[in-house]
Amino acid sequence: MPFYQRLGDLPRKRHIVFRDNGTLLTEEVMGFEGFSGLESILYHLQSPCRVIELGEFEPISREEWVPDAHAHRHFRTRDVPPEGDAVSGRQLLMWNNDVEISLCRTAKGMDYFFRNGEGDEVVFVHEGSGTLETIFGDLPYKQGDYIVIPRGTTYRFVPEGDQRYLVFETPGLITIPKRYRNEHGQLMEHAPYYHRDLHAPTELHTHRDRGEHVVKVRVRDGYQTYVLDYHPFDVVGWDGYVYPWTFSIHDFEPITGRIHMPPPSHQTFQGPNFVICSFCPRKLDFDPEAVPIPYHHSNLQSEEMIYYVDGSFSSRKGIEIGSITLHPTGLPHGPQPGLAEKSLGLTETHELAVMCDTFHPLRLTALAADLDDGKYWHSWADDAAAEGRTPDDDPAGVTSHF
């Protein structure tokens, strides 16, 4: 995070005596890159190393689907049934060594605490609201929020209403693009969002109660369960640059131009060898001769995944809310036939979508095989001429960037 936060009670300096009702508190430095990266300092009632029971280790199992053909894919995720909670209910759709992309529709709340010891997480909230209870304090979330959770954060989702998430997990760091920040870390004037759009935990609750509490930690490509004899949210105060935060996709300020802007103008976050972008309602290109939907392009060194959140996606016939398209390495993609012509003169677009571009190929799971419509690859040939229609007969409008 590019700015400093603090909550609760803190001593006047680091690494000095700090007591709570006469008891010496345990200071924990939680940081990245050894002692040279971003860090926060937390003050605990108990030692964060204290464990009374080691539970089972559960390795992560991934069932890969290797399609017979290399082709564009369309996955319909709207009817994926709810299962598990905000962690156990994550259903892996695609992954590589840099990022895992999962769907999640929860069927129940969490009766344990979770900590990702292997990587950072970005949870996009498509449906639902609630509170992410964390060791840094309560973090409210709502529909349209990205929840950014740094590794090492102990947390528990407390949902309100039905929940639907798109989840990114990475062994690297989730950061704000460097071109948006000055040398001091402040977001610059050309950035599509500002510090006041980023929301840190609002209230710190120090739990002093004892009793058994289960913490599940992702480590070694699996989940290790620990039992504590105290509540893990025993922090009386913390400060620093490492903490969970939210950013609403509705606070992203689209960058438009006289002619069509490339996808990097929509970039929101970056990770190792991948980026996450937000496509939001916006005015379209304003040159009188501009073509206001994308030119065809080839992902020669990347793969493009788009998750459709809301609005009209009619440059992709058959796309619906919750659809995911995947345009893999080595294949060009762009608007379907006739839609560039039909888009001329349009002035705005109203769709909402989340895109992830990876710079290494993605592997697919058996879930992807179940959700694949099997015919999206043919949609560029299924044009007006082939169907005996004219472009004016197309029942859908043309408003989508994609």
Side-chain angles (χ1 to χ4, degrees):
M1 282 298 295
F3 61 94
Y4 170 86
Q5 292 282 306
R6 61 183 289 167
L7 278 179
D9 298 324
L10 297 169
R12 63 180 179 83
K13 289 184 68 68
R14 299 171 295 176
H15 320 322
I16 65 171
V17 171
F18 186 36
R19 297 184 184 275
D20 178 83
N21 295 324
T23 301
L24 184 65
L25 297 175
T26 300
E27 181 184 38
E28 177 192 8
V29 176
M30 176 177 163
F32 295 105
E33 301 173 11
F35 291 92
S36 60
L38 297 178
E39 69 175 33
S40 285
I41 300 178
L42 303 89
Y43 293 88
H44 296 264
L45 295 170
Q46 305 289 333
S47 166
C49 306
R50 182 184 176 98
V51 173
I52 62 168
E53 183 181 332
L54 282 177
E56 295 182 353
F57 178 81
E58 176 189 351
I60 294 174
S61 176
R62 303 176 182 87
E63 185 180 355
E64 185 174 3
W65 172 48
V66 181
D68 293 335
H70 187 72
H72 297 307
R73 302 285 170 185
H74 173 203
F75 309 108
R76 298 182 182 273
T77 76
R78 188 70 179 172
D79 295 327
V80 169
E83 69 172 56
D85 54 51
V87 175
S88 67
R90 296 175 185 179
Q91 302 184 58
L92 183 64
L93 187 69
M94 56 189 78
W95 87 100
N96 60 23
N97 290 335
D98 303 312
V99 64
E100 296 179 356
I101 303 172
S102 302
L103 309 170
C104 184
R105 292 187 66 198
T106 62
K108 61 181 181 179
M110 295 177 64
D111 58 0
Y112 60 94
F113 301 90
F114 179 71
R115 180 191 312 142
N116 195 325
E118 289 190 317
D120 290 4
E121 301 178 355
V122 176
V123 179
F124 176 75
V125 182
H126 188 175
E127 296 176 0
S129 61
T131 301
L132 185 73
E133 295 181 342
T134 84
I135 200 167
F136 295 95
D138 287 353
L139 185 65
Y141 67 86
K142 61 186 182 303
Q143 183 174 327
D145 278 352
Y146 292 102
I147 309 173
V148 182
I149 310 173
R151 74 198 60 213
T153 300
T154 304
Y155 69 80
R156 177 172 62 184
F157 275 85
V158 181
E160 297 176 6
D162 294 338
Q163 308 281 304
R164 185 189 297 267
Y165 314 134
L166 179 69
V167 183
F168 303 91
E169 299 176 72
T170 174
L173 299 179
I174 293 293
T175 63
I176 290 172
K178 184 176 292 186
R179 69 179 183 278
Y180 296 163
R181 298 177 278 129
N182 62 25
E183 61 181 312
H184 307 290
Q186 184 177 13
L187 288 166
M188 293 188 284
E189 285 296 305
H190 69 271
Y193 49 88
Y194 193 59
H195 298 277
R196 67 188 67 170
D197 298 318
L198 313 179
H199 305 286
T202 57
E203 189 174 4
L204 180 67
H205 297 283
T206 303
H207 289 263
R208 301 172 183 273
D209 48 301
R210 304 299 291 265
E212 292 191 356
H213 297 274
V214 175
V215 178
K216 187 176 293 188
V217 182
R218 176 166 174 172
V219 287
R220 292 169 42 209
D221 206 26
Y223 300 100
Q224 176 68 56
T225 297
Y226 302 89
V227 180
L228 315 182
D229 63 351
Y230 65 97
H231 197 292
F233 298 163
D234 69 336
V235 171
V236 302
W238 67 271
D239 72 337
Y241 289 77
V242 176
Y243 49 87
W245 49 282
T246 62
F247 169 70
S248 174
I249 194 171
H250 303 296
D251 285 331
F252 188 89
E253 302 300 333
I255 299 170
T256 60
R258 189 165 61 88
I259 58 175
H260 194 76
M261 301 297 290
S265 65
H266 306 278
Q267 186 178 348
T268 310
F269 310 109
Q270 67 184 40
N273 301 308
F274 72 93
V275 299
I276 298 174
C277 299
S278 302
F279 291 96
C280 301
R282 62 198 179 278
K283 293 292 185 181
L284 291 173
D285 325 315
F286 53 86
D287 187 283
E289 295 186 296
V291 178
I293 60 174
Y295 36 82
H296 282 66
H297 48 287
S298 296
N299 292 0
L300 297 177
Q301 292 179 297
S302 63
E303 305 213 339
E304 178 190 277
M305 187 248 18
I306 299 178
Y307 179 82
Y308 297 85
V309 178
D310 198 9
S312 174
F313 313 114
S314 50
S315 70
R316 286 283 177 269
K317 191 171 64 175
I319 294 299
E320 60 190 18
I321 291 175
S323 284
I324 289 178
T325 55
L326 177 64
H327 301 139
T329 303
L331 299 178
H333 66 273
Q336 291 167 323
L339 296 183
E341 180 72 38
K342 193 172 181 181
S343 74
L344 300 180
L346 291 177
T347 59
E348 58 186 27
T349 179
H350 299 284
E351 85 277 358
L352 199 65
V354 174
M355 182 178 81
C356 181
D357 268 5
T358 67
F359 303 138
H360 293 131
L362 287 160
R363 302 163 69 179
L364 301 174
T365 64
L367 174 63
D370 293 338
L371 301 179
D372 183 30
D373 74 354
K375 57 186 179 181
Y376 176 66
W377 61 271
H378 194 258
S379 60
W380 285 268
D382 187 19
D383 57 13
E387 296 184 6
R389 296 185 287 109
T390 66
D392 289 339
D393 294 327
D394 193 329
V398 185
T399 60
S400 175
H401 171 93
F402 315 106

mmCIF file of all heavy atoms in Angstrom, residues 5 35 48 67 69 95 112 192 199 219 243 257 290 329 348 358:
data_model
loop_
_atom_site.group_PDB
_atom_site.id
_atom_site.type_symbol
_atom_site.label_atom_id
_atom_site.label_comp_id
_atom_site.label_asym_id
_atom_site.label_seq_id
_atom_site.Cartn_x
_atom_site.Cartn_y
_atom_site.Cartn_z
ATOM 1 N N GLN A 5 -0.980 3.584 7.709
ATOM 2 C CA GLN A 5 -2.188 3.490 8.512
ATOM 3 C C GLN A 5 -1.823 3.047 9.925
ATOM 4 O O GLN A 5 -0.800 2.399 10.163
ATOM 5 C CB GLN A 5 -3.163 2.470 7.907
ATOM 6 C CG GLN A 5 -3.764 2.888 6.583
ATOM 7 C CD GLN A 5 -4.882 3.901 6.753
ATOM 8 O OE1 GLN A 5 -5.829 3.688 7.495
ATOM 9 N NE2 GLN A 5 -4.758 5.023 6.061
ATOM 10 N N PHE A 35 13.635 -7.692 5.532
ATOM 11 C CA PHE A 35 13.364 -6.474 6.287
ATOM 12 C C PHE A 35 13.525 -5.234 5.420
ATOM 13 O O PHE A 35 13.744 -4.135 5.925
ATOM 14 C CB PHE A 35 14.293 -6.388 7.509
ATOM 15 C CG PHE A 35 13.986 -7.420 8.554
ATOM 16 C CD1 PHE A 35 14.627 -8.644 8.536
ATOM 17 C CD2 PHE A 35 13.049 -7.175 9.540
ATOM 18 C CE1 PHE A 35 14.350 -9.608 9.494
ATOM 19 C CE2 PHE A 35 12.762 -8.131 10.503
ATOM 20 C CZ PHE A 35 13.411 -9.353 10.477
ATOM 21 N N PRO A 48 2.108 -14.802 18.888
ATOM 22 C CA PRO A 48 1.450 -15.343 17.694
ATOM 23 C C PRO A 48 1.970 -16.719 17.307
ATOM 24 O O PRO A 48 1.412 -17.350 16.404
ATOM 25 C CB PRO A 48 1.767 -14.294 16.628
ATOM 26 C CG PRO A 48 3.010 -13.625 17.091
ATOM 27 C CD PRO A 48 2.940 -13.620 18.588
ATOM 28 N N PRO A 67 -7.774 -29.735 -23.235
ATOM 29 C CA PRO A 67 -8.666 -29.902 -24.388
ATOM 30 C C PRO A 67 -7.934 -30.518 -25.575
ATOM 31 O O PRO A 67 -6.718 -30.348 -25.733
ATOM 32 C CB PRO A 67 -9.116 -28.467 -24.697
ATOM 33 C CG PRO A 67 -8.832 -27.682 -23.450
ATOM 34 C CD PRO A 67 -7.642 -28.331 -22.832
ATOM 35 N N ALA A 69 -8.316 -29.549 -28.592
ATOM 36 C CA ALA A 69 -8.005 -28.472 -29.536
ATOM 37 C C ALA A 69 -7.650 -27.198 -28.780
ATOM 38 O O ALA A 69 -8.183 -26.923 -27.700
ATOM 39 C CB ALA A 69 -9.189 -28.208 -30.460
ATOM 40 N N TRP A 95 -5.306 -21.854 -13.939
ATOM 41 C CA TRP A 95 -4.145 -21.466 -13.139
ATOM 42 C C TRP A 95 -2.865 -21.639 -13.935
ATOM 43 O O TRP A 95 -2.812 -22.325 -14.958
ATOM 44 C CB TRP A 95 -4.091 -22.295 -11.859
ATOM 45 C CG TRP A 95 -3.376 -23.623 -11.954
ATOM 46 C CD1 TRP A 95 -2.113 -23.895 -11.547
ATOM 47 C CD2 TRP A 95 -3.888 -24.861 -12.493
ATOM 48 N NE1 TRP A 95 -1.798 -25.220 -11.781
ATOM 49 C CE2 TRP A 95 -2.869 -25.826 -12.363
ATOM 50 C CE3 TRP A 95 -5.098 -25.234 -13.081
ATOM 51 C CZ2 TRP A 95 -3.033 -27.141 -12.792
ATOM 52 C CZ3 TRP A 95 -5.253 -26.538 -13.506
ATOM 53 C CH2 TRP A 95 -4.244 -27.475 -13.357
ATOM 54 N N TYR A 112 -14.116 -20.972 11.235
ATOM 55 C CA TYR A 112 -12.690 -21.024 11.533
ATOM 56 C C TYR A 112 -12.068 -19.753 10.962
ATOM 57 O O TYR A 112 -12.731 -18.941 10.300
ATOM 58 C CB TYR A 112 -12.041 -22.268 10.906
ATOM 59 C CG TYR A 112 -12.172 -22.313 9.395
ATOM 60 C CD1 TYR A 112 -11.169 -21.825 8.565
ATOM 61 C CD2 TYR A 112 -13.320 -22.827 8.788
ATOM 62 C CE1 TYR A 112 -11.304 -21.844 7.180
ATOM 63 C CE2 TYR A 112 -13.459 -22.844 7.409
ATOM 64 C CZ TYR A 112 -12.451 -22.350 6.615
ATOM 65 O OH TYR A 112 -12.591 -22.366 5.256
ATOM 66 N N PRO A 192 -6.110 6.385 -12.484
ATOM 67 C CA PRO A 192 -7.570 6.268 -12.578
ATOM 68 C C PRO A 192 -8.271 6.118 -11.227
ATOM 69 O O PRO A 192 -9.471 5.873 -11.184
ATOM 70 C CB PRO A 192 -7.754 5.017 -13.443
ATOM 71 C CG PRO A 192 -6.544 4.193 -13.159
ATOM 72 C CD PRO A 192 -5.422 5.162 -12.942
ATOM 73 N N HIS A 199 -9.775 1.756 0.820
ATOM 74 C CA HIS A 199 -10.352 1.751 2.162
ATOM 75 C C HIS A 199 -9.686 0.687 3.036
ATOM 76 O O HIS A 199 -9.721 -0.505 2.724
ATOM 77 C CB HIS A 199 -11.855 1.517 2.083
ATOM 78 C CG HIS A 199 -12.552 2.514 1.196
ATOM 79 N ND1 HIS A 199 -12.771 3.810 1.573
ATOM 80 C CD2 HIS A 199 -13.032 2.394 -0.063
ATOM 81 C CE1 HIS A 199 -13.384 4.458 0.597
ATOM 82 N NE2 HIS A 199 -13.549 3.616 -0.414
ATOM 83 N N VAL A 219 -0.143 -23.381 3.159
ATOM 84 C CA VAL A 219 1.311 -23.502 3.076
ATOM 85 C C VAL A 219 1.652 -24.762 2.287
ATOM 86 O O VAL A 219 0.852 -25.693 2.213
ATOM 87 C CB VAL A 219 1.980 -23.591 4.473
ATOM 88 C CG1 VAL A 219 1.965 -22.251 5.176
ATOM 89 C CG2 VAL A 219 1.312 -24.660 5.331
ATOM 90 N N TYR A 243 -1.632 -4.267 5.144
ATOM 91 C CA TYR A 243 -2.946 -4.502 5.731
ATOM 92 C C TYR A 243 -3.914 -4.781 4.587
ATOM 93 O O TYR A 243 -3.650 -4.436 3.430
ATOM 94 C CB TYR A 243 -3.421 -3.296 6.541
ATOM 95 C CG TYR A 243 -3.299 -1.974 5.830
ATOM 96 C CD1 TYR A 243 -4.304 -1.499 4.990
ATOM 97 C CD2 TYR A 243 -2.160 -1.183 5.991
ATOM 98 C CE1 TYR A 243 -4.186 -0.282 4.326
ATOM 99 C CE2 TYR A 243 -2.031 0.030 5.331
ATOM 100 C CZ TYR A 243 -3.052 0.477 4.505
ATOM 101 O OH TYR A 243 -2.922 1.671 3.841
ATOM 102 N N GLY A 257 -10.048 8.374 -25.025
ATOM 103 C CA GLY A 257 -9.229 9.168 -25.932
ATOM 104 C C GLY A 257 -9.955 9.474 -27.224
ATOM 105 O O GLY A 257 -11.095 9.040 -27.450
ATOM 106 N N ALA A 290 -13.444 7.578 -35.639
ATOM 107 C CA ALA A 290 -12.990 6.516 -34.737
ATOM 108 C C ALA A 290 -13.891 5.299 -34.835
ATOM 109 O O ALA A 290 -15.108 5.405 -34.995
ATOM 110 C CB ALA A 290 -12.953 7.027 -33.304
ATOM 111 N N THR A 329 -3.080 -17.951 -25.869
ATOM 112 C CA THR A 329 -1.861 -17.574 -26.575
ATOM 113 C C THR A 329 -1.893 -18.007 -28.032
ATOM 114 O O THR A 329 -2.322 -19.121 -28.356
ATOM 115 C CB THR A 329 -0.651 -18.235 -25.886
ATOM 116 O OG1 THR A 329 -0.624 -17.833 -24.519
ATOM 117 C CG2 THR A 329 0.650 -17.833 -26.552
ATOM 118 N N GLU A 348 -21.062 5.923 -26.075
ATOM 119 C CA GLU A 348 -20.805 5.456 -24.719
ATOM 120 C C GLU A 348 -21.067 3.960 -24.616
ATOM 121 O O GLU A 348 -21.709 3.361 -25.480
ATOM 122 C CB GLU A 348 -21.676 6.204 -23.714
ATOM 123 C CG GLU A 348 -23.157 6.092 -23.943
ATOM 124 C CD GLU A 348 -23.954 6.966 -22.994
ATOM 125 O OE1 GLU A 348 -23.426 7.999 -22.525
ATOM 126 O OE2 GLU A 348 -25.118 6.616 -22.732
ATOM 127 N N THR A 358 -2.569 -12.823 -18.475
ATOM 128 C CA THR A 358 -1.393 -13.510 -17.946
ATOM 129 C C THR A 358 -0.338 -13.603 -19.040
ATOM 130 O O THR A 358 -0.661 -13.721 -20.216
ATOM 131 C CB THR A 358 -1.751 -14.919 -17.462
ATOM 132 O OG1 THR A 358 -2.117 -15.731 -18.589
ATOM 133 C CG2 THR A 358 -2.914 -14.891 -16.484
#
